[in-house]
Amino acid sequence: MHADLHTKDLATKKVWTERPKKNDPDAVKKVGRIRSFVFHPKEPRCVGFLIKRPDVALMFHRKDLFVAFNGFHIQDGDIVLNDDAGSKDKSACKALSINLDDCVIWVGLPAITQDGTQVGVVDDVAFSPETGRVTGVTLSQGATANTLLGRRTLGPEDICGFKRGMGTRLYMADDDDDGALGALLVKDSAKEVQLSEGVADKAGAATAVAADKAQKTVRRVKKKAKPKVKEASKAAGEAVQKGVYATGRQIGRTSGMFKNFKDEFKKGMNGQD
C-alpha cells in the first residue's frame, strides 16, 4: 500500500512522458506542469489532474491535458505519465465514468459545515494513489491566522463532498443563480477539530519549558555549592528565582494575549459573539 499523495506536494510539478528510442530506451519528453487537481462532482474522490502544456511556437494556445489519478507514477521525484490506455483525456474520462465538465477543483473552495459555518478554505487535499479516495483535507485560516493559530486538518469522516448553492462563485452568472455557487461541505463535527500548533500555542509551551529549565539550573547550583559559599549561593539562587519569576510573568502575559486572541478567533469561527 502506497503513502497518500498531497495536492500541495505535487502542485506545479513538471510532468514528463516516456519516449523510448532505439539508442535511448529511457528517453523522456516534458509535457508541461500540473495546473490543478480535479475532484468528482458528488463523491469525495480525486479523479485526476490537469496539465498546462506549453503553447505551440509561443503563440498558439494548447488545451490542458487531463490525466487520471492512476495514470502516472513518480520516478526520482518527477511525475511520469503511464503509457496505458485509459490514462489520459477522453479515454480516462470514459474509464472513470465521469464528465470532466461536471468535475470540480477543490483547492481554494470555502469549507462550510452543514449548519452553514465557514471553517476555512481548502489548502491541501490528501488522497489514495490506488483509489483516488480523499483521506484528508487541510484548511487555511488566512496567512496571519495560520501563523498564530495553525491549520485545521479534517479526516475523511468529516468530509461530505462538493455542494452547489453555497459558498463562493464558480463562474459569472446572475445573482439568483445558486448553481454558480460552490463549496466543500463538511460535517458540523469539523468545528471541533483542533487547530494544529501555531505561534500562540508554542509561546505558552516555550514559557513553561524556560521556567522549568531555570528551576533545574538553580537546584543544580545549590546542590553542588560548597558549605563555605552556601549563603552566597542561596542569595544568588533567590536572585535568579526572582528574575525567572519576573521574566516568566512578562512572557506569561504575552502568551495570555495570544491565548485570548485564539479564544476570540475560535468564537468568531463558531459564530459566537
Side-chain angles (χ1 to χ4, degrees):
M1 185 174 181
H2 297 87
D4 291 341
L5 298 177
H6 288 257
T7 58
K8 202 160 190 175
D9 294 337
L10 300 177
T12 71
K13 275 188 174 292
K14 294 179 180 179
V15 182
W16 307 82
T17 183
E18 296 176 346
R19 298 185 68 202
K21 300 178 181 178
K22 186 175 181 180
N23 59 344
D24 187 5
D26 297 325
V28 294
K29 175 186 177 182
K30 181 181 175 183
V31 180
R33 289 180 181 271
I34 291 181
R35 181 193 291 274
S36 54
F37 286 85
V38 183
F39 293 82
H40 194 277
K42 296 181 179 179
E43 304 171 9
R45 177 162 58 93
C46 177
V47 296
F49 56 83
L50 296 173
I51 300 175
K52 183 185 184 309
R53 297 188 287 181
D55 296 337
V56 178
L58 302 178
M59 295 176 60
F60 302 101
H61 178 70
R62 301 175 69 189
K63 185 180 178 181
D64 290 347
L65 177 68
F66 173 70
V67 178
F69 73 90
N70 56 358
F72 71 98
H73 61 278
I74 299 177
Q75 183 176 329
D76 298 329
D78 292 326
I79 296 176
V80 181
L81 302 185
N82 298 338
D83 190 20
D84 300 333
S87 63
K88 296 182 285 291
D89 272 349
K90 291 182 179 179
S91 59
C93 293
K94 184 177 180 180
L96 294 169
S97 300
I98 60 170
N99 179 358
L100 192 58
D101 291 336
D102 293 335
C103 294
V104 191
I105 296 172
W106 278 19
V107 176
L109 283 179
I112 300 179
T113 62
Q114 294 163 318
D115 66 3
T117 303
Q118 182 170 331
V119 289
V121 176
V122 178
D123 185 54
D124 180 35
V125 183
F127 62 93
S128 166
E130 287 91 3
T131 65
R133 181 67 57 179
V134 172
T135 58
V137 172
T138 299
L139 305 179
S140 171
Q141 313 297 324
T144 302
N146 287 343
T147 302
L148 289 173
L149 309 173
R151 301 169 186 267
R152 179 181 277 112
T153 299
L154 308 181
E157 68 279 0
D158 296 312
I159 303 166
C160 300
F162 177 70
K163 177 73 173 177
R164 287 191 180 275
M166 60 191 303
T168 190
R169 187 168 295 279
L170 304 176
Y171 56 85
M172 296 302 296
D174 296 333
D175 292 339
D176 58 352
D177 183 4
D178 290 340
L181 302 178
L184 177 65
L185 182 65
V186 298
K187 295 181 180 178
D188 292 340
S189 56
K191 293 186 292 186
E192 306 303 322
V193 175
Q194 295 297 313
L195 294 167
S196 61
E197 192 175 68
V199 174
D201 289 333
K202 290 179 180 179
T207 302
V209 171
D212 182 61
K213 287 184 177 179
Q215 293 277 7
K216 289 180 179 178
T217 300
V218 172
R219 286 197 293 268
R220 285 199 300 269
V221 170
K222 287 184 176 181
K223 185 175 181 180
K224 294 181 179 180
K226 295 181 180 180
K228 63 180 181 180
V229 293
K230 184 176 181 180
E231 293 300 322
S233 296
K234 181 179 180 181
E238 290 174 351
V240 172
Q241 289 279 24
K242 290 179 180 179
V244 170
Y245 174 77
T247 304
R249 185 174 56 181
Q250 293 301 321
I251 297 177
R253 288 173 179 171
T254 305
S255 63
M257 179 185 67
F258 279 115
K259 183 179 184 301
N260 290 337
F261 174 79
K262 184 175 181 179
D263 291 341
E264 291 302 317
F265 182 89
K266 287 183 176 179
K267 290 178 182 178
M269 292 293 292
N270 292 331
Q272 300 177 22
D273 292 334

